[in-house]
Amino acid sequence: MSDKKGKKRSAVADVVTREYTINLHKRIHGVGFKRRAPRAVKEIKKFAMKEMGTNDVRVTPLLNKHVWSKGVRNVPFRVRVRLARKRNEDEDAEEKLYTLVDHVPIDTTFKGLETVTVEADE
């Protein structure tokens, strides 16, 4: 048996910002036309929850516009996002941290892009 029985990684410990490429195409495969863009936004939130370990995920209007840019049916196959885990300034909030999901514009191709930890500029 493991000695680390009751321990799990704490998301509260650090504020960090990373860039990811999310393959939306595989996440909305088989979804009906009128539900594709809303499901894509939900899948982005689910991805951010899993990667950053916070239940409070906020999507910027810029990312939402990008997902909806080709309409409800034709969601972009991939999207590059910046996930920023930040401290919640509201003192009566139940979560200590939240994740802000922002769009990172890509001018050429997604080939060769990897997950990158971004240095805090605040």
Side-chain angles (χ1 to χ4, degrees), residues 24-37 39-40 43 73 75 77:
L24 292 176
H25 191 236
K26 73 176 185 181
R27 288 177 167 82
I28 61 168
H29 175 73
V31 176
F33 278 156
K34 296 300 182 187
R35 295 184 181 93
R36 287 173 82 85
R39 173 70 68 88
E43 290 293 330
R73 299 181 354 166
V75 176
F77 280 2

Side-chain angles (χ1 to χ4, degrees), residues 56-115:
D56 187 4
V57 177
R58 302 170 191 180
V59 175
T60 61
L62 186 69
L63 176 61
N64 195 44
K65 268 198 185 316
H66 178 71
V67 170
W68 283 82
S69 64
K70 293 170 23 175
V72 70
R73 299 181 354 166
N74 302 314
V75 176
F77 280 2
R78 285 181 176 80
V79 66
R80 186 80 173 168
V81 294
R82 178 175 288 134
L83 302 182
R85 189 187 304 135
K86 298 186 173 191
R87 296 205 184 283
N88 209 341
E89 300 301 324
D90 190 16
E91 56 271 347
D92 45 314
E94 55 223 33
E95 301 284 329
K96 291 184 177 146
L97 298 173
Y98 69 94
T99 302
L100 183 67
V101 187
D102 199 8
H103 177 242
V104 179
I106 298 296
D107 51 349
T108 56
T109 180
F110 287 97
K111 300 252 190 250
L113 289 177
E114 295 181 349
T115 299

